Amino acid sequence: MIMSVANNQSNNMTLVRKLASKTSRCFARNVYKATEIQKLGKRRSPRSSLSTVSSVTSTSEHSIVVKEVGESAEMEHAVESLRSALHLLKDASNKSCPWVDARNLLDETAAALDDAGLALRSKSANSEQQSESYVLKLADKVVHNRRRLLGGSFVHDVDGVWTKSVYGDCNGISFGTDDDELCRIPVEEKEEKALIVYASQTGTSKTSANNLCKSLGGDAHCVMRNMKSVGIKDLAMHKRVYIICSTSGLGRPPRDVETFYSNVQLNAMRCKENLEDLSIGDEENEKPLAGTSIAIATLGSSALEDFAKFGLDLTEELVTLGAAIALDTITIDGKNGKTEQKQMFQQWESRIIQMEKERLMER
């Protein structure tokens, strides 16, 4: 009976935390964590809810048993949450599976790490060392596996309970700095050269990007970069950005640009929340990609599910970050062979060339 109550309470706590995380990630999660830490402090006191239950038994022996049962339930729930997070991370890394939105991945892994942190903070001197070590091992694995997909710059935003449980006040440990924040770059400080970015799976996008660069006059008029080596700040430094990208598998980005795309999704989330908190009048002009226009050609095959999904979704995320659409995103279908695909790209390329010519005439 007591074990059932403890499990129900633990499950309810997780549902509340995940709901708060998905509806108001920054504010609601921090409020929840503060509340839970207070509860943990009370749970250690003689007047805690578990002690109250144990007093019904009228024996100190039963009081200890009840406390150990509660702690065991919390440890078991933490293990279950961490295993679930690891399973999700495995799916997210599997190129045969659909892309897992970075925001959902962050929510689920952060909730699991919070469960681990809460379980560790509530342990007593009588807790089994083996259970504690296993929770720590699983949690470290979640952090390590998540870093490959999401990077490390957002860890400090969400893992307050976990990091404080393991590292105390986190002295000497960095989970990101204020320098990670994206700021709008004034238009007059942006590069006049166009930025051409490619994300290639088999080399087709890179070849197309090379052709576009030559058509625009080469290095004197444009800069070409691999998407895996650029960040949002690099996009923001240019007035015009042209992106040629491939879609891998079930609507996924190419393998080596997964971290870039996750970073775009997370920054789009943070940008939206920060502007809502500020409640400023001219929000569009304060976004990090304000003053930058984009045109995207997304390659793929309509024979596959989620054809060209990566490029289409990337467009939406960059617009959320403030980018303007210079040309509607075009899907270039390779189903009927490379010749037809090349012809479709050349039509898009000719429109880019025309825009660049018109821009030069206006100067």
Side-chain angles (χ1 to χ4, degrees), residues 194 212 216 239-242 293-296 324-328 347-363:
L212 177 60
L216 295 182
K239 292 181 179 179
R240 302 173 317 287
V241 177
Y242 305 128
S293 63
I294 60 170
I296 298 179
I325 300 293
L327 287 176
D328 289 338
Q347 292 174 7
W348 180 78
E349 182 183 57
S350 65
R351 297 181 67 186
I352 299 294
I353 294 171
Q354 183 61 34
M355 284 196 312
E356 288 293 313
K357 286 181 178 179
E358 292 174 357
R359 184 188 65 83
L360 290 173
M361 291 175 63
E362 291 174 357
R363 291 178 63 181

Side-chain angles (χ1 to χ4, degrees), residues 166-178:
V166 179
Y167 301 112
D169 292 328
C170 303
N171 291 330
I173 297 173
S174 175
F175 295 93
T177 66
D178 292 338

Side-chain angles (χ1 to χ4, degrees), residues 197-200 205 227 243-247 254 296-300 310-312 314:
V197 180
Y198 66 88
S200 192
S205 293
M227 188 178 285
I243 299 174
I244 302 101
C245 59
S246 300
T247 296
I296 298 179
T298 175
L299 284 61
F310 167 54
L312 295 170
L314 177 62

Side-chain angles (χ1 to χ4, degrees), residues 211-222:
N211 292 336
L212 177 60
C213 184
K214 291 177 182 178
S215 298
L216 295 182
D219 295 343
H221 298 279
C222 56

Side-chain angles (χ1 to χ4, degrees), residues 53-346:
V53 173
S54 66
S55 65
V56 176
T57 63
S58 301
T59 66
S60 59
E61 179 182 357
H62 285 289
S63 177
I64 295 174
V65 170
V66 170
K67 188 173 184 180
E68 289 178 349
V69 167
E71 289 173 356
S72 175
E74 286 185 342
M75 285 291 185
E76 288 176 5
H77 180 68
V79 169
E80 181 183 347
S81 295
L82 291 167
R83 283 176 175 170
S84 178
L86 286 171
H87 182 75
L88 182 63
L89 286 165
K90 183 179 179 180
D91 286 345
S93 301
N94 188 348
K95 63 181 182 180
S96 299
C97 294
W99 176 253
V100 177
D101 191 299
R103 288 157 290 215
N104 293 337
L105 196 62
L106 183 67
D107 277 335
E108 297 301 322
T109 54
L113 290 172
D114 280 353
D115 285 335
L118 292 170
L120 292 172
R121 289 177 72 89
S122 64
K123 65 183 176 64
S124 69
N126 296 325
S127 298
E128 293 185 13
Q129 186 66 33
Q130 186 176 3
S131 298
E132 181 183 344
S133 298
Y134 188 54
V135 167
L136 284 168
K137 180 180 178 180
L138 290 177
D140 286 339
K141 192 173 182 179
V142 168
V143 172
H144 178 269
N145 292 358
R146 182 177 69 175
R147 186 173 292 117
R148 193 196 71 78
L149 288 169
L150 303 186
S153 62
F154 284 86
V155 173
H156 67 295
D157 287 339
V158 293
D159 293 339
V161 176
W162 163 248
T163 55
K164 203 168 184 65
S165 299
V166 179
Y167 301 112
D169 292 328
C170 303
N171 291 330
I173 297 173
S174 175
F175 295 93
T177 66
D178 292 338
D179 292 336
D180 294 326
E181 293 287 346
L182 293 173
C183 299
R184 180 183 66 84
I185 297 175
V187 174
E188 58 271 18
E189 296 180 16
K190 292 177 181 284
E191 292 279 351
E192 286 293 340
K193 289 183 179 182
L195 175 63
I196 301 173
V197 180
Y198 66 88
S200 192
Q201 188 70 26
T202 60
T204 303
S205 293
K206 183 178 180 179
T207 300
S208 299
N210 265 316
N211 292 336
L212 177 60
C213 184
K214 291 177 182 178
S215 298
L216 295 182
D219 295 343
H221 298 279
C222 56
V223 178
M224 193 175 85
R225 299 278 301 275
N226 190 333
M227 188 178 285
K228 72 177 182 180
S229 64
V230 302
I232 298 172
K233 291 180 181 179
D234 296 301
L235 305 185
M237 282 300 301
H238 293 262
K239 292 181 179 179
R240 302 173 317 287
V241 177
Y242 305 128
I243 299 174
I244 302 101
C245 59
S246 300
T247 296
S248 173
L250 300 177
R252 300 176 65 92
R255 188 75 168 181
D256 59 359
V257 302
E258 288 179 349
T259 301
F260 167 82
Y261 187 42
S262 293
N263 191 255
V264 167
Q265 289 187 319
L266 294 176
N267 270 293
M269 172 191 75
R270 186 158 70 174
C271 176
K272 183 178 179 181
E273 290 173 345
N274 287 350
L275 289 174
E276 288 175 350
D277 290 342
L278 290 172
S279 298
I280 56 180
D282 195 5
E283 294 180 354
E284 291 301 319
N285 288 333
E286 295 301 321
K287 293 182 177 181
L289 292 184
T292 295
S293 63
I294 60 170
I296 298 179
T298 175
L299 284 61
S301 173
S302 58
L304 300 175
E305 188 177 353
D306 291 326
F307 163 55
K309 188 177 189 305
F310 167 54
L312 295 170
D313 289 348
L314 177 62
T315 304
E316 293 183 9
E317 303 292 358
L318 295 180
V319 168
T320 299
L321 286 166
I325 300 293
L327 287 176
D328 289 338
T329 297
I330 182 175
T331 57
I332 300 178
D333 194 353
K335 179 181 179 181
N336 298 322
K338 288 189 176 295
T339 300
E340 183 175 322
Q341 188 178 48
K342 184 177 180 179
Q343 291 174 348
M344 294 177 68
F345 178 80
Q346 287 174 340

